[in-house]
Amino acid sequence: MRKRITETMLCLAAVMLLMIAMCVVVYADETEGDEVTWTQMPNAEGIEYYLDEEGALMIQGEGEMPDYDWGGSPFYRNADIRKVVIKDGITRIGDYTFNYCTSLSSVEFPDGLETIGKYAFYNCSSIRSIVLPDSLTTLGEYAFSNCYRMKSAVLSRNLKVIDCAFSYCAQLKSVTIPDGVESMGYAFCGCADLKKVTIPASVNNMEWSFGECYGLEEVTFEGDCPTLDGAFWACSLTARYPYGNDTWTDEALDSGYGGKVKWEGYCITHAAGAAVKENQKEATALKA
């Protein structure tokens, strides 16, 4: 009897030792290299990613991340992703890469990032703020559209086009449009919490840029009159333009920008080396 009990105990001990050894082997495999198992991104040789237990997605490598079709990204609708860290060396985020990652709240961009593709962060509804590096020159259509909890956005100073990029970010309260941006078609359409915006002189296209921005109170233009078709659809605001600029004609102020706009002309004079803006009452008009 004792012999059988001893044999049984030895067998159990052997099994336990085997299980421990197996666990050690698995753990050792997982801790090779940077102590994590990296997965190569589809169609992107040399770029790999790792998602940890806390929901932090790390992406490393060199060059451009690939484009995907709707639903084709390995991260599509992944509710486990809460943070994205893209390391230096990545120059492009492809189309549709993180769309519908609804738990994503934080993104760290590399300094050398040049392009964010269309719909890249579409409907990432938990993102609250972003800071885009100045290396960024291309921001795709709808890149951050429907990120409706976003409250602030700092844009790259080297952007030329931001068409549709932030449409329907309903809680966006603060954004500075860099001098150098030329086209803003539908850029902030539906940003209902936006209150004040300055349009730099470089902008020449504003079609539907601020349509349905119901909270917009004041817009200040610094240069020539851009294309305004639908720019203030369903808005009620005061718009200030440089008085004496020949492009701000009655025809321009009567264009189909939509909404109800009180136009105020202002001029800039120099006193003691400082710029002073003075309202010109004779240039004020109310257009509906």
Side-chain angles (χ1 to χ4, degrees):
M1 185 69 174
R2 288 182 179 177
K3 183 178 180 182
R4 289 183 179 178
I5 292 174
T6 303
E7 290 176 350
T8 301
M9 292 179 65
L10 288 172
C11 289
L12 289 172
V15 170
M16 291 179 66
L17 287 171
L18 180 60
M19 291 177 65
I20 291 171
M22 290 175 65
C23 290
V24 170
V25 170
V26 171
Y27 181 75
D29 287 343
E30 290 184 348
T31 56
E32 288 179 359
D34 294 334
E35 299 186 351
V36 296
T37 300
W38 293 85
T39 302
Q40 182 173 317
M41 185 169 289
N43 303 320
E45 185 177 352
I47 299 179
E48 51 191 8
Y49 66 89
Y50 170 73
L51 178 62
D52 69 18
E53 295 179 354
E54 303 299 320
L57 177 67
M58 310 291 178
I59 299 176
Q60 67 179 13
E62 298 288 335
E64 300 184 351
M65 294 167 62
D67 291 331
Y68 297 99
D69 295 327
W70 187 278
S73 168
F75 314 122
Y76 175 66
R77 287 190 182 274
N78 190 331
D80 293 331
I81 299 174
R82 300 181 181 278
K83 178 180 180 179
V84 170
V85 178
I86 304 174
K87 298 186 177 182
D88 289 344
I90 304 295
T91 58
R92 186 179 192 277
I93 298 173
D95 299 347
Y96 299 96
T97 302
F98 301 105
N99 66 327
Y100 280 92
C101 289
T102 54
S103 299
L104 179 59
S105 60
S106 173
V107 183
E108 294 182 15
F109 299 102
D111 290 336
L113 187 67
E114 299 172 359
T115 302
I116 296 178
K118 64 183 181 181
Y119 291 92
F121 294 91
Y122 180 82
N123 208 50
C124 291
S125 52
S126 289
I127 293 178
R128 297 185 181 275
S129 66
I130 60 161
V131 177
L132 299 179
D134 286 336
S135 57
L136 192 75
T137 58
T138 303
L139 185 60
E141 294 182 352
Y142 303 99
F144 293 94
S145 183
N146 274 32
C147 294
Y148 57 83
R149 286 193 176 94
M150 185 183 295
K151 296 184 181 296
S152 67
V154 177
L155 307 185
S156 164
R157 290 180 294 179
N158 291 300
L159 285 177
K160 299 293 184 185
V161 178
I162 51 176
D163 290 356
C164 305
F166 296 93
S167 58
Y168 296 97
C169 292
Q171 295 184 31
L172 185 65
K173 297 180 182 295
S174 173
V175 65
T176 299
I177 300 166
D179 188 18
V181 170
E182 298 173 358
S183 177
M184 292 172 46
Y186 289 86
F188 301 97
C189 185
C191 294
D193 276 1
L194 204 57
K195 296 188 181 301
K196 292 185 179 181
V197 178
T198 297
I199 310 299
S202 56
V203 174
N204 54 51
N205 174 38
M206 281 182 55
E207 292 181 293
W208 295 90
S209 290
F210 298 97
E212 298 179 286
C213 289
Y214 303 115
L216 193 59
E217 298 172 353
E218 183 179 305
V219 176
T220 300
F221 293 87
E222 294 185 334
D224 293 351
C225 181
T227 301
L228 292 171
D229 293 348
F232 304 120
W233 181 262
C235 299
S236 181
L237 57 95
T238 297
R240 306 175 69 245
Y241 65 94
Y243 179 68
N245 183 313
D246 293 339
T247 67
W248 291 94
T249 62
D250 288 340
E251 182 180 0
L253 300 184
D254 281 325
S255 64
Y257 49 78
K260 184 178 181 180
V261 180
K262 178 183 179 182
W263 292 97
E264 289 184 356
Y266 70 89
C267 71
I268 298 177
T269 59
H270 294 276
V276 180
K277 296 182 179 180
E278 299 175 351
N279 287 328
Q280 301 295 314
K281 293 182 180 180
E282 64 271 21
T284 299
L286 181 64
K287 305 289 183 181

